[in-house]
Amino acid sequence: MPKVQPITTAEVVKRLGVTRKVVRRLVEHGDLTPAQKLPGKTGAYLFDPADVDALTAERAS
């Protein structure tokens, strides 16, 4: 089974059609869970594309 490549916040913004601020709120409210956080205090979040696609479908219905 191929390994899934996580996507960046910028890609999530494109897929959902929202701002970075909205993505941050989705994470804070538990509606979107990062798959990984890069090291450091301000390390970027990486997301599983399947989770983002599921959220996109949920928001469309």
Side-chain angles (χ1 to χ4, degrees):
M1 183 145 106
K3 200 173 192 181
V4 175
Q5 184 69 28
I7 60 174
T8 63
T9 300
E11 182 62 29
V12 174
V13 165
K14 287 181 194 175
R15 288 184 182 208
L16 293 178
V18 298
T19 65
R20 292 176 83 78
K21 190 174 192 177
V22 171
V23 172
R24 187 171 45 248
R25 285 183 185 154
L26 289 168
V27 170
E28 289 171 359
H29 293 153
D31 297 321
L32 182 62
T33 304
Q36 182 180 358
K37 181 185 179 295
L38 296 181
K41 185 178 180 182
T42 60
Y45 286 126
L46 298 176
F47 299 90
D48 184 328
D51 292 343
V52 177
D53 292 342
L55 182 60
T56 302
E58 181 181 311
R59 290 171 60 102
S61 60

